[in-house]
Amino acid sequence: PEGQDLAAPAWTDRTYAECLARAGKLLFDGQRVIVDATFIEEQRRRQFLDAAVRWGVPSMMVVCEASPDAVKPRLAARRCDASDADWNVYVQATDRWDAPGRRTHLFVRTIRAEDFPEGCVEQAFQYPPASGPASPPSWSCGFAFHRLL
């Protein structure tokens, strides 16, 4: 909405709630779902993982990591896309990043994204989850839910 801060906590809450609602609808319509979001806070990750458990669907959290040297020129080159992320947003996000908690890290697959985007999706679904928690710098992360038919 015009003139409103879409990064304000109330809008962030609404956005994640809507993503979770849409994920549930699509799953129960027999679809696979990927939710692409930053998931900076551990509590947001837990919401999605807990929902997957309730729904009885396997899930994972994919964390794409790239060095700041790789991220900075990518952000500077972005034009005409939906994201408002720039270098300052990236720095703030990495400063606020909660490491995945004890339960969450079991669902984490960390992939290197230095050569993003080539090969990242394949990497995410090819390897078993990481043995330990992910840490910044992270480019983005999201969840993949799979409905077993």
Side-chain angles (χ1 to χ4, degrees):
E2 190 70 29
Q4 295 188 30
D5 180 7
L6 297 180
W11 278 108
T12 300
D13 291 344
R14 288 176 65 176
T15 300
Y16 277 96
E18 182 65 21
C19 287
L20 189 58
R22 289 183 185 192
K25 181 179 181 340
L26 289 168
L27 283 167
F28 288 101
D29 285 345
Q31 304 295 312
R32 291 183 176 189
V33 176
I34 296 175
V35 179
D36 182 3
T38 56
F39 288 99
I40 291 172
E41 298 97 2
E42 175 66 4
Q43 69 145 108
R44 299 229 187 260
R45 299 176 204 134
R46 289 297 335 149
Q47 286 175 318
F48 281 73
L49 288 170
D50 291 346
V53 169
R54 281 192 314 274
W55 297 334
V57 294
S59 65
M60 69 177 162
M61 178 180 152
V62 178
V63 178
C64 300
E65 292 185 344
S67 69
D69 290 339
V71 172
K72 194 169 190 174
R74 290 181 196 155
L75 290 173
R78 291 173 77 167
R79 301 285 183 273
C80 303
D81 64 16
S83 176
D84 62 350
D86 60 13
W87 182 249
N88 291 330
V89 170
Y90 170 82
V91 169
Q92 290 173 10
T94 58
D95 288 346
R96 292 181 37 228
W97 174 261
D98 290 340
R102 183 176 51 86
R103 289 178 21 213
T104 303
H105 86 274
L106 299 172
F107 296 90
V108 172
R109 290 189 184 194
T110 302
I111 59 173
R112 296 298 304 159
E114 296 297 318
D115 299 321
F116 190 88
E118 295 82 10
C120 287
V121 173
E122 291 81 10
Q123 284 183 58
F125 291 99
Q126 197 170 49
Y127 300 104
S131 60
S135 61
S138 60
W139 173 244
S140 71
C141 73
F143 280 88
F145 297 100
H146 299 275
R147 181 80 178 162
L148 300 178
L149 302 175

